[in-house]
Amino acid sequence: MTRPNSFDYQALLACGRGELFGDGNARLPAPPMLMFDRITKIADTGGAHGKGEIHAELDIHPRLWFFDCHFEGDPVMPGCLGLDAMWQLSGFFLPWLGEPGRGRALGVGQVKFTGQVLPSAKLVRYEIDIRRVMRGRLSMVIADGKTFVDDRLIYTASDMRVGLFQSTEGF
């Protein structure tokens, strides 16, 4: 089976509607919680650990929703949204591989914030390196991620875990 190695914004929206991986399977969040505009690269080889990688981008505009509310008079993108973007991308990897189920973030080993995204920025870039893919009763991906603003590293996350579940009742 040939899988696409990139996705434009319309394909990401289709994923959010459940059209990309089928009914009952993983979806990306809909805007405004979808935290990237395109996936520029996805591969099941390569990356820092040789097990796969994902690259995505978010175009920054001063009118993005979070700048109006975080913080009033001192606008900045919440760091947790950058972390969530890295979880979203890590979770996208499993259904892209063909794994069924609904995705849920399960944890992260360590997160570091060393910079910020301001309305004057132009581009946020995410790089995800897959550490491990587990398949069985629970499909899970373990990945490391980096977030860059205008090519400057600002966030890192290690051991991000996302699982796919057949049922999320009681989760």
Side-chain angles (χ1 to χ4, degrees):
M1 177 178 98
T2 302
R3 295 182 298 264
N5 61 7
S6 64
F7 293 85
D8 65 14
Y9 190 67
Q10 293 307 312
L12 301 178
L13 294 177
C15 182
R17 293 188 302 265
E19 299 167 2
L20 196 57
F21 300 122
D23 192 39
N25 287 319
R27 296 178 179 205
L28 287 169
M33 286 304 298
L34 178 63
M35 294 308 302
F36 40 91
D37 294 320
R38 65 201 149 272
I39 295 175
T40 58
K41 179 180 185 179
I42 185 167
D44 59 3
T45 59
H49 311 289
K51 299 192 177 183
E53 61 185 325
I54 310 167
H55 297 186
E57 297 175 339
L58 172 67
D59 296 320
I60 300 299
H61 309 283
R63 289 196 194 164
L64 285 169
W65 66 274
F66 45 78
F67 289 134
D68 287 337
C69 57
H70 189 262
F71 299 98
E72 192 172 327
D74 183 19
V76 62
M77 178 178 153
C80 61
L81 293 180
L83 175 60
D84 197 69
M86 291 189 284
W87 267 322
Q88 291 173 23
L89 289 162
S90 298
F92 187 87
F93 193 74
L94 291 169
W96 178 78
L97 288 175
E99 294 296 315
R102 294 181 179 170
R104 295 295 186 267
L106 299 175
V108 62
Q110 186 174 21
V111 178
K112 291 183 182 177
F113 299 110
T114 58
Q116 59 187 349
V117 179
L118 300 174
S120 58
K122 300 298 180 214
L123 184 74
V124 171
R125 182 170 41 89
Y126 305 100
E127 294 182 1
I128 307 299
D129 293 309
I130 305 303
R131 277 189 171 279
R132 185 174 177 197
V133 173
M134 299 163 62
R135 294 177 164 127
R137 256 188 38 182
L138 168 69
S139 293
M140 185 169 70
V141 63
I142 302 171
D144 298 331
K146 296 176 184 170
T147 299
F148 300 82
V149 64
D150 297 334
D151 291 321
R152 186 171 60 89
L153 179 64
I154 58 167
Y155 312 150
T156 58
S158 62
D159 296 321
M160 294 180 294
R161 294 175 298 285
V162 179
L164 292 181
F165 296 85
Q166 298 307 309
S167 171
T168 55
E169 287 185 36
F171 181 76

